Amino acid sequence: VYEETAFMESCYQGYAAITRMLIADPRVDVNSQNSYGITAAILAAVSNSTECLTILRNDPRVKWNVTDICGNTAAIVAVWNNRTEAVIILSEIQSIDWNIVDNNGHSALTWALVKGNADITRTLFGIPSLDINIEKLKEKNVYEKAVTEARNYLEYLMDNSGGDHLMFALKTDLVKIAALLISHGRTELNHENSDKENPLAYCLKNKKTQLANLLIENSRTDLNKVDAEGNTVVHYCQKSNKDEVL
């Protein structure tokens, strides 16, 4: 932490008593930023200081959608760092915009998918304002860049997913998250990428039988979709001899 105020440091360290005392002092700027644009709210989120986050949540002056120089909000850093408890607290704050994207064009949900955190993804699904289908990138509505985390924790190429969260989960073998997305009523199950590839065709083509069954059993899945090669669900089942899918 650089150029932090006493208030920022107390939130980062999880000193609830000090945070409560400082926030009651009118001289304290609860939204002050250091040279990196980091706020007390971002620090409390990244360090999973849940008690301090709760104190901040109860103060209407706190601006939750402020971004640092990387475009990160408190919500994004909480998800990026797998802070499950912090995400739960933040999900209860109505003023937070969960569709904000960072400088790479990735939202909190995208990072939850990259991290493969099903618990956080499930929490995000409960937020009515969350856009769970197409990622809103700053340049185009497609994934063009590889997501490489600083610690080489994960590196996924997302340029073939067509900007769709379900396709991204399928292509990166995030089975639990893909199942959650399929069962969620707001997920677009028939989205096609630039290669005219849809989720069901992808599952059948790549022998992801369990997920294919979930899609087929879902009444919102269009079983008559035709891919770029003219194949339907029946064609794939015949080619693969997959009676268990039918």
Side-chain angles (χ1 to χ4, degrees), residues 117-135:
N117 194 315
D119 290 332
I120 286 180
T121 303
R122 189 177 292 107
T123 298
L124 296 182
F125 281 172
I127 302 172
S129 61
L130 184 74
D131 182 357
I132 64 174
N133 292 309
I134 305 303
E135 181 71 0

Side-chain angles (χ1 to χ4, degrees), residues 89-110:
I89 294 173
L90 293 173
S91 70
E92 299 169 351
I93 302 174
Q94 294 184 356
S95 62
I96 290 182
D97 183 355
W98 289 90
N99 300 312
I100 289 176
V101 296
D102 60 22
N103 291 351
N104 291 317
H106 304 312
S107 67
L109 179 56
T110 300

Side-chain angles (χ1 to χ4, degrees), residues 19-78:
T19 298
R20 192 174 290 106
M21 178 185 67
L22 290 173
I23 204 169
D25 191 322
R27 296 172 297 174
V28 173
D29 181 1
V30 297
N31 298 303
S32 61
Q33 297 174 272
N34 65 15
S35 59
Y36 294 94
I38 297 173
T39 65
I42 291 176
L43 289 170
V46 77
S47 63
N48 207 33
S49 300
T50 55
E51 194 169 353
C52 291
L53 274 176
T54 301
I55 294 171
L56 293 174
R57 180 187 62 185
N58 295 330
D59 193 311
R61 297 173 299 164
V62 176
K63 297 178 181 179
W64 294 98
N65 298 318
V66 173
T67 59
D68 63 16
I69 60 174
C70 295
N72 296 314
T73 63
I76 291 175
V77 298

Side-chain angles (χ1 to χ4, degrees), residues 110 113-114 143 147 156-158 161 164-174:
T110 300
L113 296 177
V114 171
Y143 290 108
V147 179
Y156 288 130
L157 292 176
M158 299 189 289
S161 65
D164 181 72
H165 284 126
L166 176 55
M167 285 296 289
F168 174 59
L170 293 174
K171 286 176 177 288
T172 50
D173 291 322
L174 300 175

